[in-house]
Amino acid sequence: MKLRQVSDLSDFSRGHWLRELLCRGEQPSHVQSSPDGQHLLLLQKSRPPTLPRVVAFQRHSIAGADLERSWQPPQPALVGLLFLQSPVVLGSWVLAVVWEHGRTEVWHFVVAVGWQLLQTLELCQGARARVVSVCSQGASLVWCEERPPLGAHSDMSKCAFRFCVCARALEVGEQGVRLGTVRIVLHNSPEYQVLASPQHVFLVPAAAGFATTSKFLLIWHPEKTEFTITAPSASFIHSKVLRSSSESDFRKLLLDSVGLLSGFVPLDIHTSTVSNSGGLLLVSTKGSVSVVEPDGTQRHIFDLEGGPLAQGSPVQLKTFGSILACVLAGVLYLVDQNSGRLVEKEVLSMKEVHFLESQGEEDSIQLLSQTGIYSFTFSKPEDSSRPEPCLVEMVFEEACRYYQRRSLSSSKLTVEKLKKGGTFQAPVVLAAILQHSLHQKQKPAQGLQDTYTKLLSTMNLELQSYMSLELLKTCVVSAPESEVESYCRELVEQEVSRILQSDMDKDNLAYLNSVFASFPRAAWKATRSCLQLQQNGDGLLVARATPEVWKKVLCQPQLEEVGQNGIVPLFELICASFLRFKPKWLPSFVELTQQYVSNSWSYSSKEGPEGRVPLYKRALGVLAQKNKCGEADDEMELELLLCSKRPKAVLQALHLLIRLKQWQRVVEVAEKFSKLSPLVNKEIFTTLLAEFAQHRELDPYLDRLWPLCPAELTASDILTMVLQHLPHSQEDPVPFSSEGNQLTVGLLKPLLQRVVQRPRVQDEMYSDALQSTTFPPPTPPREH
């Protein structure tokens, strides 16, 4: 990394004063450069007697009026400095200075004239509103304002949700500047810091907010009128489209998720800013740097050195292309955002520095210090299509996590300790194999030990799969839009296949959930391929998956392992895919899964999946979730109950058919499943006999119903059950009814004759004794 000075500040108007401000020890709390890099704005919140102020400095000593604004507390303070593109002249811009009470000054710089105030506008509608945070999103201003309660003596702790997030278009034209109508984004909310990317707005809870509302982030998507609620540490993501203005209430937004969110820990945020790629960069108090993407997913990037960060210690972040630059305690870190690899680390000689925009240069970083502006030029990281260094680092990082989880020692295991070798040889060996095999593709075994060569031959297929996967990812990034879908489909198939061959821990399960949610059709096709699902010649569903894959499918993590974060087990994910893309196959799939379970575990084994919740009940749970969004699917519920062949499920299906009055199917189910066991046969027959006593719907099927009568039922048992279930009439019974829907002895006669004529169970038990030649049997001889 090379350091060179590009300006000693003498090329700025009033450069001596700028240098004096920087050297005085009153460091600016905020430094911002204009889009063209020709202007520098310093916001200073100084101590008395000096007033807090904002000052603009022009580069190349451009003549004209200066811009300097100051305020005297308790006057409203300045909240934001925002540069907005002007549609009048291509490449021109205006500066919006937003004050705490909502007053907005729009300034424009004209060459040879200087700074001109175009117009002063009122951003807020209420006179008592107070702006706490503001950002620009496209041609609009988005801000969070406090709306104090009307009562003068209202308890502020009871008015926690007194803030409102609003948006308003700022239109700059030839006729002047005007504000559009106010759009209420979110009302009755806690205090938020608003940070805008080109397409989205991140709402970060204020540091002084309540613990209950500081457990999640909100992401507003203006084009879709959609909010994403995300708790990154718990892998919770929920999106909701706001179809009306009434749904923009904060409480209504969280109504579906409040139960889950209450169990999460508060967010750990020390510093937050938006990257040039549109993600939200977060630094935790432990020094961990991560990025939250607009879809709500979080990705860890890097861990800063030095341990926990103090509350007042400043951390500066800025992205330059794929490089993340971070300054902490006088040390500059350059990190590759894609791999998390530390590209460079430099100890700075300057006490205080501020990042500036680098015009058109993604491989250089500009820093403002007390003595001038300096530029750092760095070499770009290696091409992403050659992932060798990143892969080797990942081996050691994963090994650290693996060994740390299994270690009884409280000392932290680091990558440096692993690289030195000693106790843990596996990551060292694997890293050596990868370095040789991936760098020397023509002669992969050259320079390796004999033991390593044998391991390489064993891992060869895995390495080829990894390289093809990395190549496919590169193709996805660089492919035209028309080919992205096909590449994504192939990528998802490889990822699902890879995870099904790995340990199904909570991280892999959470990743699978995101894959199924983001690419549902591709995930469905990948599942079919991994399970080798297809129909045979008879139209029956068959699966040729290996036992290991079946075990992953049936894995049902404990609630404490997964956490109440909305993560769905893999079996439920697959069932949901069946319901969405091939619902007719779902009962057959559940039946296939049960066949595998019965062959692998005993019926009542608590180790197997059936020992916890039966598979048909898990599938019914997925169906119930789908039915919440539409009409109930009774036919699918029946098929799932019957395919299980469990006694309780069969009886439940029978009662459902009775409720639906599908009598033909009632009898068919009774005939088929009465053969399961005598107990099931008795339950089915008594249920249908009770229905027969109440109405005449089963009369056409009596010749098929009576043969199902269990052998142990007597005529008195049958008459007792019939009398117990006769419908209660409001009128006095008469011998001969004209309605023709009453139960008669003639209808019961065939059943009673059948029961009376067949031999009794007791007779069969003693038939051998009764047929003996001597009765009673002779007395056995006594022993004297």
Side-chain angles (χ1 to χ4, degrees):
M1 185 166 60
K2 298 179 180 179
L3 171 67
R4 64 184 179 90
Q5 187 176 29
V6 296
S7 171
D8 61 356
L9 306 181
S10 61
D11 54 341
F12 282 87
S13 61
R14 300 180 295 172
H16 61 285
W17 186 32
L18 173 59
R19 192 180 300 106
E20 183 181 344
L21 287 176
L22 295 173
C23 295
R24 191 183 296 172
E26 300 172 354
Q27 289 299 322
S29 61
H30 180 74
V31 174
Q32 191 169 347
S33 58
S34 61
D36 57 7
Q38 300 301 311
H39 303 267
L40 198 63
L41 273 72
L42 270 67
L43 174 62
Q44 283 194 310
K45 296 181 180 179
S46 307
R47 298 177 181 177
T50 310
L51 298 179
R53 58 191 168 188
V54 58
V55 187
F57 297 91
Q58 291 73 250
R59 207 163 190 174
H60 304 304
S61 302
I62 304 175
D66 298 320
L67 172 62
E68 181 178 347
R69 303 285 281 117
S70 61
W71 61 95
Q72 172 68 55
Q75 291 179 352
L78 189 144
V79 179
L81 299 169
L82 306 170
F83 287 100
L84 301 170
Q85 293 293 328
S86 172
V88 180
V89 181
L90 186 64
S92 63
W93 47 266
V94 296
L95 172 65
V97 181
V98 183
W99 301 87
E100 192 177 51
H101 60 323
R103 179 163 298 170
T104 303
E105 301 173 358
V106 182
W107 293 79
H108 181 55
F109 186 83
V110 181
V111 179
V113 178
W115 287 97
Q116 290 184 328
L117 178 63
L118 294 181
Q119 202 159 343
T120 301
L121 306 164
E122 293 296 333
L123 194 61
C124 304
Q125 288 184 322
R128 302 172 69 245
R130 182 178 70 91
V131 178
V132 295
S133 176
V134 65
C135 65
S136 60
Q137 208 278 329
S140 299
L141 295 178
V142 181
W143 72 94
C144 179
E145 66 178 45
E146 180 185 12
R147 295 181 172 180
L150 295 176
H153 302 286
S154 299
D155 187 357
M156 299 302 284
S157 63
K158 296 181 180 179
C159 305
F161 303 102
R162 63 183 184 275
F163 294 86
C164 181
V165 180
C166 311
R168 202 168 187 180
L170 182 66
E171 302 173 4
V172 182
E174 296 180 354
Q175 305 300 323
V177 184
R178 76 179 189 89
L179 287 170
T181 57
V182 176
R183 178 181 180 184
I184 304 298
V185 178
L186 192 66
H187 61 91
N188 295 330
S189 75
E191 182 180 353
Y192 278 108
Q193 177 191 9
V194 290
L195 298 167
S197 69
Q199 303 296 330
H200 313 86
V201 178
F202 295 93
L203 277 65
V204 182
F210 288 80
T212 53
T213 59
S214 61
K215 299 179 179 181
F216 54 89
L217 300 168
L218 296 179
I219 306 172
W220 179 46
H221 311 268
E223 293 184 358
K224 302 178 183 178
T225 319
E226 181 182 48
F227 263 103
T228 297
I229 308 166
T230 175
S233 60
S235 302
F236 174 83
I237 301 173
H238 175 69
S239 296
K240 184 175 183 180
V241 177
L242 306 184
R243 305 187 186 279
S244 63
S245 57
S246 62
E247 294 183 357
S248 60
D249 183 85
F250 179 76
R251 296 180 180 89
K252 290 184 178 179
L253 178 66
L254 300 181
L255 193 60
D256 297 336
S257 311
V258 65
L260 293 174
L261 295 172
S262 61
F264 298 155
V265 296
L267 296 170
D268 181 12
I269 300 177
H270 180 278
T271 305
S272 59
T273 188
V274 177
S275 69
N276 58 2
S277 61
L280 178 67
L281 293 170
L282 298 177
V283 182
S284 70
T285 55
K286 297 177 182 177
S288 175
V289 183
S290 59
V291 59
V292 177
E293 301 295 347
D295 61 0
T297 57
Q298 185 185 39
R299 179 170 56 87
H300 176 263
I301 297 178
F302 185 69
D303 289 324
L304 296 171
E305 298 175 357
L309 304 177
Q311 187 64 34
S313 58
V315 179
Q316 296 195 54
L317 300 171
K318 195 164 184 65
T319 53
F320 299 85
S322 62
I323 294 297
L324 168 66
C326 177
V327 173
L328 171 64
V331 180
L332 173 65
Y333 300 88
L334 300 182
V335 182
D336 183 6
Q337 292 186 86
N338 298 325
S339 64
R341 185 163 56 92
L342 180 64
V343 178
E344 198 123 10
K345 176 183 174 183
E346 186 78 14
V347 179
L348 303 176
S349 58
M350 309 97 165
K351 182 180 179 183
E352 296 284 347
V353 295
H354 296 272
F355 287 118
L356 300 178
E357 295 290 341
S358 299
Q359 299 299 317
E361 299 179 3
E362 289 192 348
D363 58 347
S364 66
I365 297 174
Q366 286 198 358
L367 297 172
L368 172 67
S369 72
Q370 298 173 351
T371 57
I373 298 176
Y374 294 85
S375 175
F376 285 98
T377 304
F378 54 88
S379 57
K380 291 186 177 181
E382 296 183 26
D383 188 7
S384 59
S385 63
R386 296 188 61 198
E388 299 91 339
C390 172
L391 179 59
V392 172
E393 287 296 319
M394 286 170 58
V395 168
F396 286 104
E397 291 173 3
E398 182 62 30
C400 270
R401 288 192 290 267
Y402 178 84
Y403 291 128
Q404 194 74 57
R405 285 197 303 264
R406 288 157 176 80
S407 175
L408 299 177
S409 173
S410 59
S411 60
K412 187 176 180 180
L413 189 62
T414 63
V415 173
E416 287 71 19
K417 291 180 182 178
L418 281 182
K419 286 183 177 179
K420 292 178 181 178
T423 309
F424 306 107
Q425 287 294 315
V428 178
V429 172
L430 181 57
I433 292 173
L434 292 175
Q435 285 175 328
H436 281 80
S437 62
L438 297 179
H439 277 294
Q440 303 176 12
K441 297 179 179 61
Q442 300 300 324
K443 298 179 181 179
Q446 182 178 353
L448 281 175
Q449 300 177 17
D450 292 339
T451 309
Y452 291 10
T453 306
K454 293 178 182 178
L455 285 172
L456 177 58
S457 62
T458 306
M459 296 172 51
N460 196 32
L461 290 177
E462 296 293 334
L463 286 172
Q464 289 179 8
S465 299
Y466 175 82
M467 291 306 298
S468 62
L469 183 61
E470 289 298 317
L471 181 61
L472 183 58
K473 289 179 180 178
T474 306
C475 293
V476 171
V477 174
S478 58
E481 190 173 351
S482 58
E483 299 177 8
V484 167
E485 185 177 355
S486 62
Y487 280 126
C488 283
R489 188 163 54 246
E490 186 179 347
L491 179 59
V492 168
E493 184 172 340
Q494 291 196 26
E495 284 289 85
V496 171
S497 176
R498 179 183 64 82
I499 293 176
L500 288 180
Q501 295 172 8
S502 309
D503 293 335
M504 191 56 67
D505 55 15
K506 61 181 180 180
D507 294 331
N508 279 336
L509 190 56
Y511 179 51
L512 267 182
N513 273 254
S514 64
V515 169
F516 272 77
S518 304
F519 308 98
R521 185 172 293 277
W524 157 246
K525 292 183 177 180
T527 303
R528 285 185 58 181
S529 176
C530 292
L531 295 177
Q532 300 183 47
L533 292 171
Q534 57 187 354
Q535 285 181 309
N536 60 12
D538 299 329
L540 300 176
L541 186 68
V542 294
R544 295 183 174 85
T546 63
E548 290 301 320
V549 172
W550 276 120
K551 287 182 180 179
K552 303 296 191 308
V553 170
L554 294 169
C555 178
Q556 189 179 15
Q558 297 286 352
L559 184 64
E560 58 269 17
E561 293 177 3
V562 178
Q564 297 179 344
N565 51 10
I567 296 179
V568 179
L570 181 54
F571 179 77
E572 278 78 353
L573 283 178
I574 296 175
C575 288
S577 292
F578 270 104
L579 282 175
R580 181 170 182 175
F581 299 106
K582 205 73 172 178
K584 292 182 179 180
W585 284 11
L586 178 57
S588 300
F589 170 71
V590 175
E591 195 169 359
L592 280 174
T593 313
Q594 287 182 156
Q595 290 175 8
Y596 170 75
V597 171
S598 62
N599 294 332
S600 304
W601 287 283
S602 61
Y603 183 78
S604 61
S605 171
K606 293 185 178 181
E607 296 178 0
E610 291 280 279
R612 299 179 185 175
V613 180
L615 293 174
Y616 81 93
K617 286 190 176 182
R618 294 174 64 181
L620 285 173
V622 177
L623 179 64
Q625 290 294 326
K626 182 195 174 189
N627 290 343
K628 286 182 180 180
C629 306
E631 297 182 359
D633 193 346
D634 294 326
E635 187 63 32
M636 180 59 68
E637 184 177 352
L638 278 169
E639 293 295 330
L640 290 173
L641 288 169
L642 294 175
C643 77
S644 71
K645 299 179 182 177
R646 284 184 168 235
K648 288 185 178 179
V650 170
L651 293 174
Q652 186 178 343
L654 192 69
H655 285 289
L656 178 58
L657 285 171
I658 292 172
R659 180 170 59 82
L660 297 174
K661 297 183 179 181
Q662 297 184 15
W663 305 112
Q664 174 72 24
R665 291 193 64 187
V666 166
V667 176
E668 290 174 356
V669 168
E671 289 177 328
K672 180 178 179 180
F673 292 98
S674 290
K675 303 171 185 177
L676 284 178
S677 69
L679 184 60
V680 174
N681 181 26
K682 183 177 180 180
E683 289 288 340
I684 290 176
F685 182 78
T686 54
T687 300
L688 297 184
L689 188 61
E691 290 295 321
F692 163 75
Q694 296 177 41
H695 52 74
R696 309 275 53 82
E697 300 291 347
L698 284 171
D699 289 359
Y701 309 101
L702 294 182
D703 57 336
R704 299 167 62 183
L705 180 59
W706 298 151
L708 303 180
C709 180
E712 65 268 20
L713 286 184
T714 64
S716 61
D717 294 335
I718 292 173
L719 291 174
T720 302
M721 280 188 285
V722 169
L723 291 174
Q724 287 176 348
H725 292 90
L726 282 175
H728 298 283
S729 177
Q730 299 295 330
E731 301 176 358
D732 293 333
V734 294
F736 302 100
S737 174
S738 59
E739 297 180 3
N741 61 352
Q742 287 188 344
L743 176 63
T744 63
V745 177
L747 293 172
L748 272 174
K749 184 178 179 180
L751 174 61
L752 296 174
Q753 286 178 337
R754 187 184 188 93
V755 172
V756 171
Q757 291 173 0
R758 68 187 176 192
R760 294 189 300 170
V761 176
Q762 290 86 350
D763 295 342
E764 293 179 356
M765 290 172 59
Y766 298 108
S767 60
D768 294 338
L770 293 173
Q771 294 173 6
S772 176
T773 55
T774 60
F775 184 80
T779 305
R782 295 181 180 179
E783 295 181 1
H784 298 285

